[in-house]
Amino acid sequence: MTSTKKNFLYNATYQILILILPLITAPYLARILGAEKIGIYSYTYSIVYYFMLICLLGINNYGNREIAKAREDKEKLAKTFTSIYVLQLSTSILMCIAYSLYLLFFVKENIEIAMLQGLFVISAAFDINWFFFGMEKFKLTVTRNSIIKVATVILILLFVKTREDIWLYTVIMAGGTLVSQLAIWPFLKKYTKLVKVKFEDVRKHIKSCVILFIPTIAVSLYKIMDKIMLGNMTNMSQVGFYENAEKIINIPMEVITALTTVLLPKISNLVANGEKEQIERYIKKTMEFEFMASSAIAFGLFSVSSIFVPMFLGQEFVYSSIIVKYLSVTIIFISIASVIRRQYLIPHEKDNIYIVSVILGAIINLIINSLLIPRYQAQGAAIGTIVAEFSVFAYQAFFVRKDIKIKEYIK
């Protein structure tokens, strides 16, 4: 079996695990915590997520690509890893200070939960998954993440028993992420080491990281900002309804996009070696798979949501079934855009197309949210997400139409 097939199987296995675990925790938490408490967790996490994003500064995609290019030269690999990580550690320290100031001066409600969410910011400082993805060591990351995920579920079932246990749920989720990031560091020495680097070695990565950071922030505006806007314009229950609907959509999405995640370092390496025909073959196969899988899942979820969601989450979340219907449409757009982004734009360093597309999506989403959320609440946020995701897909598809025959796959 080729390494690509193995990596896909490892990553797909992990994504299936991610698929199974929420099937256990989501209905349990929906009934134990209820819409309002889930909304509080989702709202506070949405804010801390922005601090985490700045910690990583686009390094997940950039580091993955650069490690894939340098992995055949041990000296270059060590220098590349160290210089990128020094940049990550520097931004993480700054964000830990910034989040502390945010807690001190801006948080008026749910301060305890917001403080516990700070563990996510600390965990971002130790996140070096990008190195192992670039090395195509998916088995290692999958095994570690699987163990931590299962342990997290067990702890939730054992200790989260009432609505007042939201703080325990937050500790388990944030603490589990921190432990997960720390657990992979002992394996680093097998592949590379930290070496002495100059400021110039670190500085040269800043521009490229920021370029890839801009679309990450833009994407977050229509992935995460929805919940912040809902929390500020409506109430925490609406955030809870939207959060659980999005969770149901994300479960199959993780499995569908597993292949594009695996192939990013593979194609980055093929681009570096000028293997154009091989790249085209990978894109063709992946595009066919993504269209088939995403279409089936989107129509399936739309059809069964009215029956499935109340049965799965409980009668308190009947409203979430309407949101699932809306968001199911986005599965097709996200899947195809994922292929274009991870198998063409990022490996070929065509970052401008990617950046403009997601900025366009973010602007459209913010405008629609501002107009529709006050009147239609969570449904308004869902409409904004649909239009934003379609805009991103359409823009990217238009600018790569000469290299990727999107029309043929649609037919």
Side-chain angles (χ1 to χ4, degrees):
M1 188 182 293
T2 65
S3 61
T4 301
K5 287 181 180 177
K6 283 183 180 179
N7 287 333
F8 172 65
L9 286 173
Y10 287 137
N11 208 29
T13 301
Y14 175 61
Q15 303 305 344
I16 290 168
L17 180 68
I18 291 177
L19 170 70
I20 294 169
L21 295 182
L23 294 177
I24 301 169
T25 57
Y28 178 78
L29 290 169
R31 289 164 172 80
I32 296 296
L33 296 179
E36 184 182 2
K37 297 297 184 183
I38 288 174
I40 290 169
Y41 175 85
S42 179
Y43 178 78
T44 53
Y45 175 79
S46 297
I47 292 171
V48 82
Y49 181 79
Y50 279 95
F51 291 88
M52 292 164 62
L53 278 185
I54 300 172
C55 288
L56 289 167
L57 200 69
I59 286 170
N60 275 333
N61 282 328
Y62 176 76
N64 187 334
R65 182 174 74 192
E66 295 305 301
I67 294 298
K69 289 180 181 178
R71 68 189 183 205
E72 291 164 17
D73 182 337
K74 286 190 175 182
E75 188 177 328
K76 185 179 180 183
L77 179 65
K79 189 174 181 180
T80 301
F81 168 71
T82 304
S83 54
I84 293 174
Y85 183 67
V86 168
L87 175 61
Q88 178 182 333
L89 186 61
S90 301
T91 55
S92 297
I93 292 169
L94 289 174
M95 285 305 100
C96 284
I97 296 169
Y99 191 71
S100 299
L101 294 174
Y102 162 74
L103 291 172
L104 190 62
F105 295 108
F106 295 98
V107 180
K108 305 299 181 187
E109 297 179 347
N110 305 306
I111 180 69
E112 298 87 356
I113 304 302
M115 287 176 66
L116 293 171
Q117 296 280 25
L119 289 171
F120 279 113
V121 184
I122 298 170
S123 71
F126 300 101
D127 183 356
I128 54 170
N129 282 289
W130 49 270
F131 172 81
F132 292 95
F133 287 152
M135 294 294 290
E136 295 192 68
K137 300 299 177 184
F138 287 89
K139 181 180 179 181
L140 177 62
T141 54
V142 164
T143 303
R144 175 213 58 172
N145 286 339
S146 298
I147 293 169
I148 299 295
K149 290 286 184 185
V150 171
T152 298
V153 170
I154 292 170
L155 289 172
I156 288 170
L157 296 176
L158 285 176
F159 296 107
V160 180
K161 297 295 184 183
T162 70
R163 302 205 169 192
E164 302 310 310
D165 290 336
I166 183 176
W167 71 273
L168 266 175
Y169 173 61
T170 308
V171 169
I172 292 168
M173 295 299 291
T177 301
L178 178 58
V179 171
S180 178
Q181 308 301 10
L182 291 171
I184 204 167
W185 275 86
F187 299 97
L188 181 67
K189 61 185 178 183
K190 183 178 177 182
Y191 304 101
T192 193
K193 59 183 179 179
L194 291 167
V195 296
K196 189 175 182 179
V197 292
K198 298 177 182 177
F199 174 73
E200 182 59 32
D201 297 322
V202 178
R203 191 181 68 82
K204 72 178 183 181
H205 296 298
I206 295 175
K207 183 180 177 182
S208 297
C209 283
V210 169
I211 288 171
L212 284 173
F213 173 65
I214 293 169
T216 304
I217 279 287
V219 167
S220 75
L221 290 177
Y222 59 88
K223 289 287 189 183
I224 305 297
M225 188 59 74
D226 285 350
K227 294 164 208 171
I228 296 176
M229 293 179 79
L230 272 172
N232 288 329
M233 294 180 175
T234 59
N235 55 62
M236 290 301 166
S237 292
Q238 286 292 315
V239 181
F241 295 139
Y242 191 87
E243 166 74 12
N244 269 355
E246 195 175 56
K247 199 176 288 181
I248 290 172
I249 295 295
N250 287 340
I251 290 170
M253 274 301 310
E254 294 290 345
V255 178
I256 296 173
T257 57
L259 186 57
T260 58
T261 302
V262 166
L263 285 173
L264 173 56
K266 170 68 73 178
I267 291 181
S268 295
N269 191 259
L270 291 173
V271 169
N273 293 311
E275 300 281 349
K276 189 175 179 181
E277 288 184 10
Q278 188 83 331
I279 294 167
E280 289 175 355
R281 188 167 65 85
Y282 275 122
I283 291 175
K284 183 178 185 296
K285 286 187 174 182
T286 312
M287 191 67 79
E288 288 172 351
F289 171 79
E290 295 290 326
F291 258 115
M292 179 185 70
S294 64
S295 300
I297 291 172
F299 285 107
L301 275 176
F302 185 92
S303 301
V304 305
S305 63
S306 297
I307 299 169
F308 172 71
V309 174
M311 181 180 70
F312 183 60
L313 298 174
Q315 289 301 314
E316 186 180 353
F317 287 88
V318 169
Y319 186 73
S320 292
S321 63
I322 302 169
I323 312 304
V324 170
K325 283 184 184 293
Y326 281 108
L327 294 180
S328 63
V329 181
T330 65
I331 292 175
I332 299 171
F333 305 143
I334 294 169
S335 299
I336 306 309
S338 176
V339 179
I340 296 171
R341 180 174 74 253
R342 289 178 175 161
Q343 293 189 25
Y344 185 77
L345 297 179
I346 293 176
H348 288 85
E349 300 188 29
K350 293 181 179 290
D351 300 323
N352 287 340
I353 297 172
Y354 176 34
I355 290 169
V356 174
S357 70
V358 293
I359 290 175
L360 174 67
I363 292 170
I364 290 171
N365 188 67
L366 288 174
I367 292 170
I368 294 174
N369 279 355
S370 299
L371 295 173
L372 298 186
I373 285 177
R375 184 172 180 181
Y376 299 107
Q377 301 183 319
Q379 290 185 58
I383 293 169
T385 299
I386 293 171
V387 180
E389 294 290 6
F390 175 76
S391 302
V392 172
F393 157 71
Y395 186 91
Q396 291 181 5
F398 178 79
F399 281 95
V400 303
R401 66 190 185 282
K402 292 180 181 177
D403 299 293
I404 302 177
K405 309 298 182 184
I406 303 292
K407 283 186 180 178
E408 291 181 12
Y409 299 116
I410 293 174
K411 288 177 183 176

